[in-house]
Amino acid sequence: MGKNRKNKAARGVAAAMATIAKTQGTEEKAVDIAVDAVEATPAIAANAPADSAASPQTHASSESSGSLKRPSPHNADDDDDGWQTIERGRPVKKHKKIPGAASSRYPGISFSEQARLQAKINVSSLRDLILYIFADGPAPQWVSVKHRPEFRKIVTIMVPGLEEAMFKKGVDFSKYSNLTPDQAIDRISTSPDDYYPRDLQKDALPDPLQPFADMFQHLWPVRAPGDEKYAKLHSPMQAILTAPVKEKKSGLKPVTDPHGWKDERTRITEFLATPEELMENRFPKHPAMLKEGAPRDAFKDPDGWVHTRVSSLEDGAVPEAEIEQGSITAGRPVLALDCEMCMTGEAEYSLTRISLVSWDGEVVLDELVKPDKPIIDYVTRFSGITKEMIDPITTTLSDIQTRLLDILTPRTILVGHSLESDLKAMRLAHPFIVDTSILFPHPRGPPLKSSLKYLALRYLNREVQKGDGTLNGHDSVEDAKTCLDLVKKKCEKGKAWAAGDVQGENLFKRLARAGTAYRATAGPDATGGLPVGKTSAAVDWGDITRSAGNAATVAIPCQSDADVEAGIIRVVKGDPDGLEVPGGGVDFVWARMRELEALQGWWNRNKLAAEDGPGGPPAAPTTTIPSTDDDHNNADNTTASSPLETCLTTLAHRLKRIHDALPPCTALIVFSGTGDPREMSRLQAVQAQFRREYNTPGSKWDQLTVRWTDKEDQALRRAVRAARCGIGFIGVK
């Protein structure tokens, strides 16, 4: 009782002295006197309980001036012995300390036998886990996430080439790749019912992969995205980096429902693709799309290419005084473009017809073009071009380029559908684009795109391309006018029209828009979750500006897995000056290691996927183990190892070094993306060749170089199922 009275007395003296000082001087002086009073009785203050009862007058007095008070009990483990500074009646925001490994509030991701797991998790499941921890995603049902607010960072690494069979005891890596396609598929494929994660026990793993057991508790079977009906494998990179659009309870009504709809006339300039969107959709680079300075000054057109006379994006702006009131075109010339191409080589298409239509529907240009190379397939069923049409033509691609450079002014807007293909055929770059494939996204999100035929039927109630698959083929003038009408209707209706089908959003953009912080990471005001932008980084091979990683806060282009390792550690820790990578590092990291993929032969050197960017696989993957790492095998063992074993050893230690460099409370996700896609790719190429030959006018069944029967079709489906069998690892540092 005596100690409690002393405690109350001490606090009462401090409050009284502060009140007296406040009446005689400044508020700052009151704070100083109050602090001096508390410090004058250290023994009493140190023993004062956090919840000791003081009179309301005492609290009001102390908080109105300034004091030190004890916060709630769960903050008692903070610095300064649990005392909290009060300035001007408000507590100073203070982040919680990062919990120690033994703390009861340390975050975790664990699997339980009672989890709602009825099939293999998908790549999208990993994406949804990221969204749940850092943004507005729903809680996962297949794992338990503990203390979500305590997660500081998430690092996700895609490693194509990893297979579950590699993690079996006693595997002979020197003979691992010496299998027939059927044997390789049997090794990769797992039963649809075999979807539970496998325990990782260090002594049961091959020596090169034992570091995985130090980082992760389970190996997860992960199903890559695909389409069973059409035997297709979709991009796992797009699946992980495309977030579903969150449905709003009070959203706009569907476009097909006219009730309550109100048109909002919108200028076409509102629908111009941004430089980032143009890069993501692999449009040819125009110097005006680049940043001023060295990148723009060093720009040079590839051989045979030209770019329109636009110095900067500001060249297209029209002063408001020159714009007619109510003008949808905003005073700018608008031309709809469509081209037809014929094949001049294996997977090589050349321009054979170009059509330009003005905003009022007048045909500005409609020319046939003779390619520089001999045409091996006129693709008449699509292009409508025949040998008889092209033979007398003397107009060349160079002639068309010269005419277009005069027609396309710095203010001209080009309208079309998947215009990147047309511009590549013309070998021309232009920065002002309205593309209907971007304006009307596919319902299932990128990389899928709706066809122009579908868009015309759905939004214009018009049937176009009736000659598709026949000798008449497509009409480029008709296609150009269709694109124009779609854009006109969008301008008349407004931005929200036909926007209800969108199902995907760039993951980096979602985290920047809807990222969430909690009391642990953002102070007391964030109790319950505070919307903040999450910073991010993309660390990948090649030119990241042409992939979804372009939307990340920081993009680190790499030429080797060693560069990827260094880049991950750099963006996690941050730059000392904070000029490129924010100080303290970014919140979310996505990276991809590709040397194992190249060694396995999964990275096709002859035909790069759109997401690969201009950087190709290395001529010889770096499989040597740096001698500076103490944990690596000695030189004698490395020399005796097979290339695959050496590559796996290097990869495992690379991941271990990244894991060791991560700060506490960081989630680490590693996944392969797919299984072995080689047999699937081979069969798909055979199927494509069969369709080309079969659909060629005048072709005969007995003269086809390849056959496609039910036997080949079933083999393809089996290969696709195997290619969709990937693996993943989830852990918390």
Side-chain angles (χ1 to χ4, degrees):
M1 293 293 293
K3 183 180 291 187
N4 288 339
R5 286 195 296 272
K6 291 180 181 180
N7 292 348
K8 291 180 181 179
R11 283 193 296 275
V13 171
M17 294 177 68
T19 304
I20 294 171
K22 189 173 183 180
T23 61
Q24 298 177 349
T26 63
E27 186 174 336
E28 287 77 7
K29 187 173 182 181
V31 174
D32 293 339
I33 293 176
V35 172
D36 291 342
V38 174
E39 291 178 347
T41 56
I44 298 176
N47 294 322
D51 56 351
S52 60
S55 66
Q57 292 82 2
T58 302
H59 277 297
S61 174
S62 62
E63 291 184 12
S64 65
S65 56
S67 67
L68 292 177
K69 76 172 186 178
R70 190 77 167 185
S72 57
H74 64 267
N75 282 340
D77 57 346
D78 286 346
D79 291 336
D80 54 41
D81 297 327
W83 292 94
Q84 187 179 21
T85 303
I86 303 298
E87 291 182 358
R88 302 181 188 277
R90 295 179 177 231
V92 177
K93 291 183 180 180
K94 188 173 186 303
H95 298 184
K96 278 189 176 182
K97 291 169 59 178
I98 296 179
S103 172
S104 60
R105 60 186 179 92
Y106 202 85
I109 303 173
S110 58
F111 171 73
S112 170
E113 295 293 335
Q114 285 72 43
R116 297 180 186 177
L117 193 63
Q118 300 176 347
K120 290 182 181 179
I121 64 170
N122 302 316
V123 173
S124 58
S125 302
L126 302 177
R127 174 206 64 206
D128 293 342
L129 176 62
I130 296 168
L131 289 174
Y132 172 67
I133 295 175
F134 267 0
D136 52 1
Q141 302 296 319
W142 49 281
V143 287
S144 172
V145 179
K146 298 188 301 181
H147 304 292
R148 174 174 55 152
E150 300 294 347
F151 280 95
R152 266 38 178 198
K153 299 178 187 292
I154 301 177
V155 176
T156 305
I157 307 174
M158 181 174 170
V159 188
L162 278 177
E163 299 177 279
E164 183 177 347
M166 294 175 175
F167 290 80
K168 295 181 179 178
K169 184 67 174 179
V171 60
D172 187 352
F173 291 110
S174 63
K175 299 179 181 179
Y176 187 84
S177 301
N178 300 336
L179 299 176
T180 64
D182 285 342
Q183 290 173 331
I185 289 176
D186 290 338
R187 180 182 65 193
I188 296 169
S189 298
T190 56
S191 167
D193 297 328
D194 198 11
Y195 47 78
Y196 273 80
R198 288 75 154 132
D199 289 332
L200 284 180
Q201 298 179 0
K202 193 167 186 177
D203 56 355
L205 294 176
D207 290 343
L209 299 176
Q210 287 186 357
F212 276 79
D214 297 329
M215 299 179 284
F216 307 103
Q217 198 171 9
H218 297 102
L219 180 153
W220 286 84
V222 180
R223 194 164 180 249
D227 192 318
E228 292 288 348
K229 181 178 179 181
Y230 298 103
K232 297 289 185 181
L233 176 69
H234 297 159
S235 168
M237 179 175 167
Q238 289 289 345
I240 193 75
L241 296 182
T242 303
V245 173
K246 190 174 183 180
E247 295 183 2
K248 297 180 181 179
K249 294 182 180 179
S250 58
L252 293 171
K253 292 186 177 181
V255 176
T256 54
D257 187 357
H259 299 293
W261 180 265
K262 185 178 180 180
D263 291 349
E264 185 177 348
R265 282 172 61 89
T266 307
R267 289 179 175 179
I268 192 173
T269 49
E270 295 293 317
F271 302 117
L272 284 171
T274 64
E276 292 76 19
E277 287 175 327
L278 294 177
M279 291 290 190
E280 288 178 15
N281 288 274
R282 301 188 62 75
F283 274 79
K285 278 186 180 179
H286 190 286
M289 296 159 54
L290 304 177
K291 294 181 180 179
E292 293 185 7
R296 188 179 296 182
D297 296 339
F299 178 83
K300 183 179 179 181
D301 285 311
D303 292 340
W305 284 68
V306 295
H307 64 269
T308 53
R309 303 182 183 102
V310 182
S311 301
S312 66
L313 298 181
E314 289 72 25
D315 290 352
V318 178
E320 283 294 326
E322 299 180 18
I323 301 176
E324 189 176 329
Q325 185 176 4
S327 171
I328 289 180
T329 61
R332 301 179 65 167
V334 179
L335 295 173
L337 167 69
D338 191 70
C339 297
E340 302 296 346
M341 281 82 79
C342 293
M343 294 186 66
T344 54
E346 183 67 28
E348 179 185 17
Y349 291 86
S350 298
L351 180 70
T352 49
R353 183 183 178 185
I354 176 174
S355 300
L356 280 176
V357 179
S358 65
W359 182 258
D360 58 8
E362 180 185 353
V363 178
V364 176
L365 178 68
D366 187 20
E367 291 275 353
L368 293 174
V369 184
K370 177 168 284 188
D372 298 332
K373 297 181 180 180
I375 298 175
I376 63 173
D377 187 350
Y378 287 87
V379 203
T380 306
R381 60 195 180 281
F382 301 121
S383 67
I385 304 296
T386 63
K387 184 176 186 299
E388 292 73 22
M389 295 170 61
I390 292 295
D391 280 347
I393 301 300
T394 58
T395 304
T396 64
L397 176 60
S398 179
D399 297 332
I400 293 297
Q401 289 175 335
T402 302
R403 294 182 63 179
L404 288 174
L405 290 179
D406 292 332
I407 295 173
L408 303 179
T409 70
R411 292 183 177 179
T412 302
I413 296 175
L414 281 180
V415 170
H417 186 79
S418 294
L419 271 180
E420 73 276 8
S421 300
D422 301 285
L423 293 176
K424 289 175 182 177
M426 296 186 300
R427 298 184 181 180
L428 179 140
H430 186 66
F432 303 121
I433 302 292
V434 175
D435 196 312
T436 52
S437 69
I438 301 175
L439 207 57
F440 300 89
H442 192 282
R444 287 160 56 191
L448 302 177
K449 292 184 178 182
S450 297
S451 67
L452 182 61
K453 187 173 184 177
Y454 166 82
L455 295 178
L457 190 61
R458 177 171 175 80
Y459 299 116
L460 300 177
N461 196 24
R462 180 188 305 171
E463 195 172 349
V464 299
Q465 298 179 349
K466 294 182 180 180
D468 193 2
T470 71
L471 292 176
N472 295 325
H474 296 181
D475 183 346
S476 54
V477 172
E478 178 191 47
D479 289 352
K481 289 183 177 180
T482 301
C483 291
L484 204 59
D485 290 342
L486 282 167
V487 173
K488 285 181 179 180
K489 193 162 186 179
K490 183 80 171 178
C491 290
E492 291 291 345
K493 291 288 190 179
K495 284 186 175 182
W497 185 75
D501 287 342
V502 179
Q503 297 293 324
E505 179 183 10
N506 184 287
L507 179 62
F508 300 108
K509 293 180 181 178
R510 169 68 69 84
L511 293 175
R513 176 181 64 81
T516 305
Y518 298 89
R519 183 186 181 93
T521 53
D525 289 346
T527 301
L530 182 70
V532 296
K534 291 290 187 182
T535 55
S536 57
V539 186
D540 196 8
W541 287 57
D543 186 359
I544 303 180
T545 61
R546 291 182 174 271
S547 69
N550 184 54
T553 310
V554 181
I556 307 292
C558 305
Q559 298 297 325
S560 67
D561 281 359
D563 292 346
V564 175
E565 176 191 345
I568 293 173
I569 295 175
R570 177 190 172 194
V571 296
V572 165
K573 293 185 174 181
D575 290 343
D577 55 13
L579 294 179
E580 185 174 357
V581 182
V586 299
D587 301 311
F588 171 70
V589 181
W590 180 85
R592 179 166 54 164
M593 294 185 174
R594 312 204 65 179
E595 290 182 357
L596 177 60
E597 178 185 10
L599 181 66
Q600 288 273 72
W602 295 15
W603 192 345
N604 193 329
R605 299 171 187 271
N606 299 319
K607 184 180 179 182
L608 298 179
E611 64 197 30
D612 291 336
T622 306
T623 55
T624 57
I625 303 173
S627 58
T628 56
D629 191 275
D630 297 334
D631 295 330
H632 283 184
N633 295 344
N634 57 48
D636 293 337
N637 291 339
T638 302
T639 305
S641 301
S642 67
L644 178 58
E645 183 174 356
T646 304
C647 186
L648 289 173
T649 304
T650 305
L651 170 66
H653 285 279
R654 236 186 255 292
L655 293 174
K656 187 65 167 63
R657 286 196 297 273
I658 292 173
H659 178 271
D660 293 343
L662 298 178
C665 304
T666 297
L668 177 61
I669 301 173
V670 177
F671 71 108
S672 65
T674 69
D676 190 341
R678 290 174 294 179
E679 181 64 8
M680 177 199 69
S681 299
R682 185 189 70 81
L683 290 170
Q684 286 177 338
V686 173
Q687 185 186 46
Q689 183 179 353
F690 168 78
R691 287 175 174 171
R692 284 196 302 268
E693 295 182 4
Y694 182 78
N695 292 323
T696 300
S699 64
K700 296 182 180 179
W701 174 262
D702 58 353
Q703 294 177 352
L704 301 182
T705 60
V706 295
R707 297 284 189 272
W708 192 262
T709 65
D710 183 67
K711 178 181 178 181
E712 285 77 19
D713 189 70
Q714 293 302 321
L716 173 60
R717 295 180 183 279
R718 184 166 175 259
V720 170
R721 285 194 293 270
R724 296 185 66 185
C725 293
I727 59 173
F729 306 87
I730 305 167
V732 179
K733 167 68 185 291

